[in-house]
Structure formats: C-alpha cells, structure tokens
Amino acid sequence: MAVEKAIAIIAHDGKKAEMVAFVKDHAQLFQQTKLVATGTTGLYVEQTGLKVKKLLSGPKGGDAQIASMVAEGKLQAVIFFRDPLGKHPHEPDVQMLMRLCDLHNVALATNPSTAKLMVKGIEASMNLPK
C-alpha cells in the first residue's frame, strides 16, 4: 500500500500573508491533503482552520527538517514562498532544500504563479472539481 505523501508549505516573513491567501484560495485541495509546515508559517495557516503538522521555524531548523522529509520520500510537493530581496541567516538550509527537491524529483514552487500551476496538477490527479 502506498504511503500518502504530504505537501510542505513554507513562507519567509514578508510572504506569510501571501501564503495564507494562497492556501485559502485552494482550501479544497489543502483540506484533503496532509500538510506540513515550518513553525511560524504553520501557525498562520492554522488560522484558516486547516490541520497542519508544524515543525521548527525555518531559522531554527525547519527548512532542514522539510529537506529531510524530501530525502526520505515523504513529500509530494513543496510550496516555498521565498523573499528574494531579504537576507536570511538560514540560506544554506534553503539551498539544501532546493537541491534535494531537484535530486529527488519533488515538485518545488517558489512563487504563487508556479504554486498555482502545481496545485492545478495535483487537483487534476486527485480528480477534484476545479
């Protein structure tokens, strides 16, 4: 029997509101999917009423925890709204996460446009109405 894979969601501080709006816009999918998130992003997303497994915050190791889940085959996709203009002390963990998504062929969206296309593909594979 196949293990149900989760979707990971992460957002840098300047992108958290955008992530919450995105999750609300695609609530039908996220209600039917296991969600895992870095700690602070997870707290924000929980306010939408969704159940989220929260890990550590990104700077405290949450990005690395999600990278580990990618390497272990536990995730079908990662949605990571990055702030390309901000400085992030945990940038090495972010780069590791992105490298592991490439290495293990796990879908990675780093902006809302790509995430929207990814979500449409997941919805189609689950036969969810659009």
Side-chain angles (χ1 to χ4, degrees):
M1 179 180 217
V3 176
E4 179 188 359
K5 293 185 179 184
I7 294 174
I9 50 176
I10 310 165
H12 281 146
D13 288 345
K15 301 289 184 172
K16 290 193 189 317
E18 196 170 13
M19 177 62 81
V20 170
F22 181 84
V23 168
K24 283 181 180 178
D25 288 346
H26 301 282
Q28 182 178 6
L29 168 68
F30 293 120
Q31 289 167 350
Q32 298 182 43
T33 308
K34 285 166 102 178
L35 285 178
V36 62
T38 50
T40 311
T41 300
L43 286 172
Y44 280 92
V45 171
E46 277 183 334
Q47 294 175 5
T48 68
L50 291 170
K51 184 177 177 184
V52 181
K53 178 181 178 180
K54 294 183 300 298
L55 304 174
L56 297 172
S57 71
K60 293 183 178 180
D63 299 328
Q65 287 179 299
I66 289 177
S68 175
M69 293 179 76
V70 168
E72 293 171 357
K74 294 180 179 179
L75 298 176
Q76 69 171 321
V78 176
I79 301 172
F80 187 173
F81 288 180
R82 299 177 64 221
D83 179 358
L85 301 177
K87 287 184 75 175
H88 307 286
H90 58 291
E91 188 63 26
D93 291 344
V94 171
Q95 293 301 315
M96 175 183 57
L97 171 60
M98 294 171 62
R99 184 182 72 78
L100 287 172
C101 285
D102 288 344
L103 179 66
H104 293 279
N105 200 29
V106 171
L108 170 66
T110 59
N111 61 64
S113 294
T114 306
K116 185 175 180 178
L117 291 171
M118 179 193 300
V119 164
K120 286 181 182 247
I122 294 170
E123 289 171 341
S125 72
M126 294 174 67
N127 294 316
L128 294 178
K130 293 166 181 65

